[in-house]
Amino acid sequence: MINHFNFKSLVLYGVAITSVLILFKTVTAYGENHLHATSPINSRYSLTLSKNLPNCKQTNKLILNILQSGIYLNASLSPVITNADTEQQLNLTGILENQNLDLSGKIDIANFCQDPASQIKAIQPIAIQMSQINLDNIPGQIKLNQNSTTLEFTAIPQTDQKAKPKSNSH
């Protein structure tokens, strides 16, 4: 049985195993020191627009609802609905990189206006950019591609309304 072991083969296997262990330790040390998970962001933001859209006398109060999976985002932009907990279609997608949020997709422009005349469905491409996500008041801008309108806004993180304890009135 000793004749089956060749000294050259044992050296080759020893060098291969040692090389793999050194490579594994190097990659592990690099990952622990340089790779970090993306910090979670708040899921709901109230948007305050700096000006109204053209042909819109009064702007709806808007909510930006974001779902996050690592750096990838799905979101919806809709007017505040006070009477229901309806599920919203997530029609914006984007990415979170270096605390900058970029979303794009298509949205019904009627969501922006309270005027009955503007309630005609007009689906337009939209892009939303926000920076410095960890602040209380986040500056950003909305770009509507069809009429080249850029709207500046301030986003304020919302607290979860369902998390508030209910009072017992017995």
Side-chain angles (χ1 to χ4, degrees):
M1 191 145 166
I2 294 178
N3 294 337
H4 294 296
F5 291 108
N6 186 349
F7 180 71
K8 289 181 182 179
S9 296
L10 289 176
V11 170
L12 177 66
Y13 291 133
V15 169
I17 290 171
T18 304
S19 298
V20 168
L21 290 174
I22 291 171
L23 181 62
F24 180 75
K25 284 192 169 259
T26 304
V27 170
T28 302
Y30 176 82
E32 288 175 353
N33 293 327
H34 295 92
L35 301 177
H36 302 286
T38 303
S39 58
I41 59 174
N42 194 329
S43 64
R44 292 175 56 90
Y45 295 90
S46 173
L47 301 185
T48 304
L49 299 175
S50 62
K51 64 178 182 178
N52 292 338
L53 275 173
N55 302 327
C56 183
K57 294 178 185 174
Q58 188 171 5
T59 304
N60 280 329
K61 292 181 180 180
L62 299 171
I63 294 290
L64 179 64
N65 187 22
I66 300 173
L67 296 177
Q68 179 183 15
S69 177
I71 62 169
Y72 301 102
L73 307 170
N74 288 312
S76 64
L77 182 64
S78 59
V80 175
I81 300 172
T82 58
N83 60 350
D85 287 331
T86 59
E87 284 191 33
Q88 300 170 2
Q89 180 182 1
L90 299 174
N91 49 7
L92 302 172
T93 59
I95 195 165
L96 176 66
E97 192 169 21
N98 298 327
Q99 294 302 312
N100 292 320
L101 178 140
D102 292 313
L103 295 167
S104 62
K106 292 187 177 185
I107 191 165
D108 184 2
I109 299 303
N111 288 343
F112 285 92
C113 290
Q114 289 183 0
D115 305 335
S118 67
Q119 295 302 319
I120 300 169
K121 289 202 177 260
I123 307 298
Q124 288 190 18
I126 186 173
I128 298 175
Q129 296 176 334
M130 293 167 53
S131 58
Q132 303 169 351
I133 298 299
N134 291 332
L135 298 177
D136 289 335
N137 293 327
I138 304 164
Q141 60 183 354
I142 297 174
K143 293 181 183 177
L144 301 172
N145 294 340
Q146 202 168 51
N147 54 1
S148 300
T149 303
T150 300
L151 299 172
E152 302 290 329
F153 67 83
T154 302
I156 301 169
Q158 298 290 294
T159 56
D160 191 7
Q161 299 297 327
K162 295 177 184 176
K164 292 182 180 178
K166 294 180 181 178
S167 62
N168 293 333
S169 58
H170 313 142

